[in-house]
Amino acid sequence: MAADSAELDSHWLKSLEKVPKVSSVTIAKHLTGCGKKEVGEKDYKFFTENYIHNVFVKEDDRGSCFVKALCFRSQRKSEAPHAVNIKLKSEDGRGIVTEAKCSCKAG
């Protein structure tokens, strides 16, 4: 079982080339559907201010793209970062968020 896990981990890449194009409108729609309307601008700010680290991408044989990363807390960079996972699917050349999870309390 450990060998299977190691092999799966080896398919994670640092290149964002396989990530479908996602617009801010797509992200806003996903967040609104989750009841998190005002988070998008804050998330973009975290990305531009280097709170997001260790971004890895993996594609499966069904056309889904998985993105995982670590996100430091806004006021507590000395604490352990949260694990963030996103699953995207390409539809008509656009990326659609099909699943998103975070290790924070809000999920």
Side-chain angles (χ1 to χ4, degrees):
M1 187 89 172
D4 292 338
S5 176
E7 186 172 324
L8 287 175
D9 286 343
S10 69
H11 295 288
W12 289 96
L13 305 172
K14 289 287 276 179
S15 171
L16 301 178
E17 185 177 301
K18 301 287 185 180
V19 177
K21 298 220 183 292
V22 179
S23 70
S24 58
V25 173
T26 301
I27 299 299
K29 284 181 183 178
H30 175 75
L31 291 171
T32 300
C34 296
K36 301 175 185 175
K37 297 177 186 174
E38 303 299 325
V39 191
E41 289 180 19
K42 183 178 177 184
D43 292 343
Y44 182 76
K45 183 179 177 186
F46 275 18
F47 179 75
T48 59
E49 292 180 1
N50 293 319
Y51 283 86
I52 310 294
H53 292 277
N54 296 345
V55 179
F56 289 94
V57 177
K58 180 168 71 170
E59 197 174 31
D60 71 4
D61 57 354
R62 297 181 200 138
S64 291
C65 179
F66 300 89
V67 180
K68 69 178 181 178
L70 297 177
C71 179
F72 285 100
R73 302 157 198 241
S74 62
Q75 301 297 319
R76 300 178 184 171
K77 275 193 163 181
S78 62
E79 291 185 19
H82 291 296
V84 179
N85 298 289
I86 302 169
K87 181 179 176 184
L88 302 164
K89 186 145 184 102
S90 184
E91 285 185 11
D92 301 326
R94 296 185 337 240
I96 305 296
V97 179
T98 58
E99 191 176 318
K101 294 182 183 177
C102 179
S103 63
C104 67
K105 289 180 182 180

